[in-house]
Amino acid sequence: MTGSPPRRISVLIPAHNEADYITGCLTALYASAISGHGIEVLVLANGCTDDTVARARSVSVPDGWEMRVLERAEGGKLAALTEGDKAANGDILVYLDADVQVEPELLSQIAHALCPERALYASGSPCVTPARNAFTRAYASAWVRLPFVRKGAPGFGIFAMTRAGRERWGQWPAIISDDTYARLHFSPEERIRLPGRYHWPMVEGFRNLVRVRRRQDRGVAEIKTLFPQLLQNDDPRPSGMRAMARIALNNPIGAAVYVAVSLAVKTRLFSSNVVWARGR
């Protein structure tokens, strides 16, 4: 690993009204223990009506790093990603949500793991940020033990790929689950889970958990309908009931809360026509 040649890394951060999060996201990113690589950060501000842009520009940028803010008047994460891909100069592309904080080792591990000449994908090991709400804490205590979270490289919150991998599709389609879409363009053998951790927040409270879970389920269903050929790259998963039964043996309260949210998702409880801007 010490003999790896320098690589150009582009970190793309789509941001729509992320003033409460962008400072923490960038501060953690800039603390990355990495050297010998050219690193640019692109904050993809789309449709912001708060001071996301000003706060992003106010964070001190380390020596050897570059930071640009690309402002779009229109909102829309996927259009912002397409624009960011065109502007990025990196051999390695890292897609980071504005409310996620990486630990110092992760970016360096990504740089060493992804050989630019190959189509490869990588992500870190997720940790759920402790919630204020007791219901969300109980839900998260079961959720983090699901096979999807514990194994493979799920990629929610942050994922990275080589340019050769990104060339497998053109513009980002207007879909809900961009992370699933990207991940399934790579076979399980091309996906790498790294030990470096990142901190990923959940929404607070039963109502919001139901709404977000329902949106996530719609996103997965959308992929199955529009891009069924990608499903061959999904990881094999055990029965959800079997996995939850195992979790319930050690965490009955967390399992009960998780099941309650899952059942509510299947009903019209808390359904509305309001567009849910945050993915979680």
Side-chain angles (χ1 to χ4, degrees):
M1 284 172 50
T2 57
S4 299
R7 291 158 190 172
R8 181 76 174 171
I9 302 168
S10 298
V11 183
L12 295 87
I13 308 176
H16 171 72
N17 289 345
E18 299 285 4
D20 291 340
Y21 297 95
I22 192 66
T23 299
C25 175
L26 289 174
T27 300
L29 179 65
Y30 292 157
S32 295
I34 184 170
S35 62
H37 302 279
I39 306 174
E40 66 174 358
V41 177
L42 303 179
V43 176
L44 311 177
N46 58 96
C48 291
T49 57
D50 63 3
D51 61 346
T52 294
V53 171
R55 294 195 182 196
R57 287 176 171 151
S58 71
V59 183
S60 180
V61 182
D63 291 341
W65 292 54
E66 299 176 17
M67 196 281 282
R68 288 182 282 158
V69 176
L70 304 184
E71 294 187 70
R72 287 176 50 87
E74 304 84 5
K77 180 179 182 180
L78 283 306
L81 288 179
T82 294
E83 183 174 313
D85 285 340
K86 293 176 181 178
N89 297 310
D91 306 306
I92 295 172
L93 304 173
V94 181
Y95 300 88
L96 175 63
D97 285 354
D99 57 355
V100 167
Q101 296 187 14
V102 298
E103 292 196 1
E105 299 80 12
L106 181 53
L107 195 60
S108 178
Q109 291 174 6
I110 289 172
H112 286 299
L114 297 186
C115 173
E117 293 76 24
R118 297 178 56 196
L120 294 172
Y121 170 103
S123 185
S125 298
C127 302
V128 176
T129 305
R132 298 184 302 272
N133 180 273
F135 196 94
T136 295
R137 289 197 301 272
Y139 178 89
S141 70
W143 185 85
V144 295
R145 299 184 62 188
L146 294 172
F148 173 71
V149 181
R150 294 174 60 240
K151 301 178 181 179
F156 51 82
I158 179 173
F159 56 89
M161 67 189 71
T162 58
R163 276 286 182 184
R166 178 59 185 87
E167 290 172 358
R168 289 184 170 177
W169 72 94
Q171 292 191 353
W172 290 87
I175 55 175
I176 295 171
S177 189
D178 56 281
D179 54 342
T180 302
Y181 179 79
R183 178 173 59 87
L184 293 182
H185 273 84
F186 299 83
S187 69
E189 295 74 26
E190 295 171 323
R191 299 195 294 260
I192 304 167
R193 182 188 180 112
L194 298 166
R197 304 195 306 172
Y198 64 94
H199 298 268
W200 183 89
M202 276 191 177
V203 295
E204 303 275 355
F206 180 62
R207 178 188 295 266
N208 287 335
L209 284 169
V210 171
R211 286 176 171 170
V212 169
R213 271 287 303 278
R214 184 177 288 126
R215 181 178 183 274
Q216 291 170 342
D217 288 354
R218 287 203 306 268
V220 173
E222 187 177 52
I223 296 288
K224 291 179 178 179
T225 299
L226 298 178
F227 309 101
Q229 72 280 6
L230 296 180
L231 299 180
Q232 64 184 345
N233 286 331
D234 207 356
D235 294 307
R237 301 185 191 181
S239 162
M241 293 182 61
R242 188 180 309 148
M244 193 50 55
R246 292 197 189 102
I247 293 170
L249 290 175
N250 297 311
N251 184 9
I253 294 176
V257 169
Y258 183 90
V259 170
V261 171
S262 300
L263 292 174
V265 167
K266 299 181 184 301
T267 72
R268 294 186 60 82
L269 189 65
F270 306 138
S271 63
S272 71
N273 294 323
V274 177
V275 175
W276 187 258
R278 299 194 64 78
R280 49 194 175 279

